[in-house]
Amino acid sequence: MTGASHYLLVLYIKEQQQSPPIPPGEIADTVGKSPAAATEMLQRLDSKGLVSHEPYNGATLTCEGRTTATDLHERYVTLSWFFRDVLGLDTYEQEAMQLAGAVSADVTDRLTSLLLSEEEPE
C-alpha cells in the first residue's frame, strides 16, 4: 500500500473508533512510523485536501478524504475476508492493510462475487 493510502485507511478506521481529530502519535504507532514521519505525511495529505491536519491536535478526514478512505476500507474488508476464509492466513488483517491500496476496485468486486458464491448453499 502506498504511504498515503495506508494513512487514509488508518484514519478511517480510527475515526470509526473514536472522535476526531486523531492524535499524530497514535497514527504514527499504528502505521509503524516515527511521529515526525507521520506528521510529514499528514501535512502532505492536508495539502492535497484529503485531511485537515492541526499540528499537535491531530488529523480528520475531509469529505474527499473520507470518500477515498471508504473505498480503501471496502477493499481492505474484502481482502481480509479472502485471506482469512480462502487462504487461511493468521495475518489476514495485516496482509489486507498492505494490499488495499494496490488492488483495483475491479479485483475486489470479483473477489466479493467469488466469496459470496462460495457461501451460497448448493
Side-chain angles (χ1 to χ4, degrees):
M1 174 178 291
T2 66
S5 296
H6 196 175
Y7 280 80
L8 291 172
L9 183 54
V10 164
L11 272 168
Y12 180 86
I13 292 168
K14 293 286 185 187
E15 284 188 3
Q16 303 305 308
Q17 299 168 343
Q18 65 194 60
S19 296
I22 307 302
E26 190 171 328
I27 296 167
D29 289 344
T30 304
V31 298
K33 299 290 183 181
S34 70
T39 297
E40 183 179 325
M41 178 59 80
L42 293 171
Q43 290 169 339
R44 278 191 255 153
L45 293 171
D46 185 88
S47 71
K48 293 179 179 181
L50 297 171
V51 303
S52 174
H53 175 247
E54 299 174 33
Y56 308 106
N57 287 330
T60 304
L61 290 167
T62 63
C63 287
E64 183 180 351
R66 185 164 286 101
T67 299
T68 301
T70 299
D71 180 54
L72 286 166
H73 188 259
E74 289 172 4
R75 293 178 197 188
Y76 164 76
V77 168
T78 300
L79 289 168
S80 292
W81 183 15
F82 177 75
F83 292 151
R84 183 191 65 220
D85 291 1
V86 176
L87 300 182
L89 296 176
D90 291 334
T91 58
Y92 61 92
E93 289 178 325
Q94 295 90 338
E95 297 292 340
M97 183 70 73
Q98 292 300 314
L99 289 176
V103 174
S104 72
D106 186 45
V107 169
T108 53
D109 289 345
R110 289 176 187 228
L111 280 174
T112 300
S113 295
L114 173 71
L115 291 164
L116 289 173
S117 70
E118 286 184 3
E119 283 191 342
E120 294 175 5
E122 294 181 22

